Amino acid sequence: KQEVTQIPAALSVPEGENLVLNCSFTDSAIYNLQWFRQDPGKGLTSLLLIQSSQREQTSGRLNASLDKSSGRSTLYIAASQPGDSATYLCAVLYNQGGKLIFGQGTELSVKP
Amino acid sequence: NAGVMQNPRHLVRRRGQEARLRCSPMKGHSHVYWYRQLPEEGLKFMVYLQKENIIDESGMPKERFSAEFPKEGPSILRIQQVVRGDSAAYFCASSRSTRSTNEKLFFGSGTQLSVL
C-alpha cells in the first residue's frame, strides 16, 4: 500500500531557527514529490516539486531533498519567520494522472 | 492569470439535499482533480477528469457522488442526498498536462461543505 507519513505532526519554534520537516513514503517508484503549504481555511500553495530524477530543489529559504532509496524527503526552512506558520504537506505522485498521495501534514508555529 | 476558482466557498445543506461544487481550472489547463479533506484526516484523491472524460475515479464513493467536466464551463462535483459524513473541505486542482514529471498541480481555495 502506498502511504506517506510526516513527522512531527506539530512543531513550535522561536523565530530565527532553522528547522527540518520530514516525510517518508513506502513505495520508492515515485514520479515526483511535492511540498505544499496550507494556511487555515485556505487552499494549498505549491512550494517545491522534486522530480524522481532529482535529489533536491531550492527556493529562497526553502530547500527540499529527496532520497528515493530510503523513501524519504526533508523540507529545510532557514531562518524561520512568524509568517512561515502554516501546515506543511508532503505529497507523492506515483504515475501520470494527478493522484497525489498526501501525508497528514506538519503544523508549524513560529513564535516571534 | 486567475488561479483555480472554486465556488461557493461555503455551502450548507440539510441531510438529503443535493450539493453542487464548481471548479474553474486555470487558463490553459485541461486536467482537473478533486480532493476531499475530512476533519482530522489528510487530503484524499477523489477523481481526475479531462475535458468531457473521467480518467480516474478510484477515490470516488460508489454511490451518491458524481463528477463532470463538460466541454464548456466549469467542472462540477455533485453529491446527492448528502449525509453528515459528507461534511468536509473539497478542493479542486488543475494542471496543463500530465506528461512531464515537472508538472505542478495548482489548487483552489476549496469549498467547505457543512451538512446539518
Side-chain angles (χ1 to χ4, degrees):
Chain A
K1 186 180 178 184
Q2 294 165 338
E3 292 182 341
V4 178
T5 304
Q6 290 186 247
I7 52 173
L11 182 63
S12 182
V13 299
E15 182 177 4
E17 263 199 23
N18 302 325
L19 57 100
V20 174
L21 308 181
N22 297 292
C23 171
S24 61
F25 43 95
T26 54
D27 184 344
S28 61
I30 70 171
Y31 199 66
N32 66 39
L33 183 146
Q34 299 178 54
W35 283 93
F36 293 89
R37 169 184 172 140
Q38 185 176 24
D39 292 280
K42 297 193 177 176
L44 279 66
T45 302
S46 180
L47 298 173
L48 291 164
L49 181 152
I50 311 177
Q51 299 176 64
S52 59
S53 58
Q54 297 174 324
R55 294 192 65 89
E56 68 175 344
Q57 281 287 334
T58 298
S59 175
R61 294 182 294 109
L62 305 179
N63 175 276
S65 68
L66 174 65
D67 184 345
K68 283 199 308 180
S69 61
S70 65
R72 295 185 182 187
S73 175
T74 60
L75 179 67
Y76 175 81
I77 303 177
S80 58
Q81 303 170 357
D84 294 331
S85 298
T87 297
Y88 289 81
L89 296 165
C90 168
V92 175
L93 190 65
Y94 281 102
N95 49 46
Q96 293 174 301
K99 185 177 179 178
L100 287 166
I101 310 294
F102 279 86
Q104 295 281 77
T106 293
E107 187 176 353
L108 173 65
S109 176
V110 181
K111 306 291 186 189
Chain B
N1 184 13
V4 177
M5 304 300 292
Q6 288 188 250
N7 67 82
R9 287 297 309 277
H10 302 276
L11 182 61
V12 179
R13 286 286 178 266
R14 296 191 180 279
R15 280 181 297 169
Q17 291 184 320
E18 178 180 284
R20 281 183 178 243
L21 288 62
R22 294 175 188 77
C23 169
S24 296
M26 284 182 71
K27 188 176 180 181
H29 287 193
S30 58
H31 301 253
V32 165
Y33 317 86
W34 285 93
Y35 286 77
R36 177 166 69 171
Q37 189 171 36
L38 290 163
E40 308 304 323
E41 291 189 21
L43 276 149
K44 300 279 192 244
F45 169 85
M46 298 182 75
V47 62
Y48 160 38
L49 309 105
Q50 250 185 299
K51 281 289 186 182
E52 301 185 273
N53 291 305
I54 295 175
I55 307 301
D56 180 354
E57 56 181 348
S58 58
M60 284 274 273
K62 295 287 185 277
E63 297 177 350
R64 303 187 297 107
F65 284 72
S66 63
E68 62 177 13
F69 188 19
K71 189 176 180 181
E72 301 291 337
S75 174
I76 306 287
L77 179 67
R78 182 181 177 207
I79 311 172
Q80 293 178 290
Q81 297 177 310
V82 296
V83 301
R84 289 218 172 102
D86 296 332
S87 296
Y90 291 82
F91 290 96
C92 171
S94 73
S95 68
R96 194 173 43 220
S97 76
T98 60
R99 292 197 188 121
S100 166
T101 55
N102 199 34
E103 192 71 45
K104 284 183 183 179
L105 266 64
F106 292 85
F107 281 78
S109 298
T111 293
Q112 180 64 51
L113 172 65
S114 299
V115 180
L116 304 179

